[in-house]
Amino acid sequence: MRQRPIPGSSGLLRTMSLLGDPVLHTACEPVVEFGPVLDRLIEDMFATMYGAQGVGLAANQIGVGLQVFVYDCPDDEDVRHLGHIVNPRLVEVGGEEIRGPEGCLSLPGLEAPTVRHDRAVVEGVDAAGEPVRVVATGFFARCLQHECDHLAGAVYADRVTGLSARRLRRAIARAPWAGSVPSARA
Ligand code: NI
């Protein structure tokens, strides 16, 4: 029996798009072509996510405006969830609304309290075009909502309110990477 290769093991580390880069603030397009180019993108996304020690990554975070995200994320019971979803739709949210700390690889070094639902259901397809449905709770549900936001052209900072929003804005202005946005790569 052949073992499945570890996701990302043949992927390339790609440059992370940072807050202010237009690709992060634009809704992504649906994937219409399935095949080696998509497979390669997903591999690169896993490699880049692992390289940055993230738990989720959306395609526009590496500059590709397509509706794909990858994740390797624990839930609140420490169960690991690993996968990718192409053309995801957040079809259901429920449970309590929980204000918890959230960060993003596109705003490195920062986090802020962000309200998310405790339960989320995402439907889409996999790299082969086969339907997938992912039911998530706790931190994993937070991750899925965060990644769906990315594909809609939003970041968690857009959801932070009140004093936390002011604090986050100041922290962004002081961040070492702030001078690089909007990106010179655009
Ligand atoms: Ni993010």
Side-chain angles (χ1 to χ4, degrees):
M1 209 170 87
R2 202 169 77 85
Q3 242 187 335
R4 288 169 66 98
I6 298 161
S9 53
S10 70
L12 300 174
L13 282 176
R14 304 269 294 257
T15 304
M16 195 72 69
S17 304
L18 298 173
L19 183 79
D21 189 323
V23 75
L24 283 180
H25 306 282
T26 306
C28 293
E29 298 290 328
V31 171
V32 292
E33 273 190 55
F34 293 79
V37 175
L38 178 62
D39 295 343
R40 168 61 52 192
L41 171 65
I42 291 169
E43 270 295 289
D44 289 357
M45 288 170 65
F46 271 112
T48 306
M49 178 182 77
Y50 287 137
Q53 297 184 311
V55 296
L57 185 86
N60 51 348
Q61 291 185 273
I62 58 166
V64 178
L66 289 174
Q67 293 176 13
V68 188
F69 67 72
V70 299
Y71 55 87
D72 186 347
C73 182
D75 62 24
D76 292 353
E77 278 73 50
D78 233 13
V79 176
R80 181 184 183 188
H81 301 270
L82 168 66
H84 68 272
I85 310 185
V86 177
N87 299 340
R89 299 180 315 280
L90 187 62
V91 293
E92 198 184 314
V93 287
E96 269 183 275
E97 288 191 296
I98 297 168
R99 191 174 157 91
E102 197 161 313
C104 180
L105 298 176
S106 295
L107 291 75
L110 304 180
E111 60 173 43
T114 308
V115 175
R116 299 286 186 185
H117 290 274
D118 190 43
R119 183 173 185 278
V121 182
V122 175
E123 290 178 355
V125 295
D126 65 14
E130 295 298 322
V132 289
R133 175 181 166 90
V134 180
V135 178
T137 58
F139 186 66
F140 181 41
R142 175 176 293 279
C143 171
L144 294 186
Q145 290 166 83
H146 177 114
E147 301 312 329
C148 285
D149 271 0
H150 271 304
L151 299 184
V155 293
Y156 81 92
D158 301 330
R159 292 186 179 271
V160 178
T161 55
L163 185 57
S164 300
R166 281 165 49 201
R167 283 205 185 111
L168 183 58
R169 273 199 300 275
R170 281 201 300 271
I172 288 167
R174 285 196 307 262
W177 44 264
S180 66
V181 295
S183 172
R185 295 188 309 278

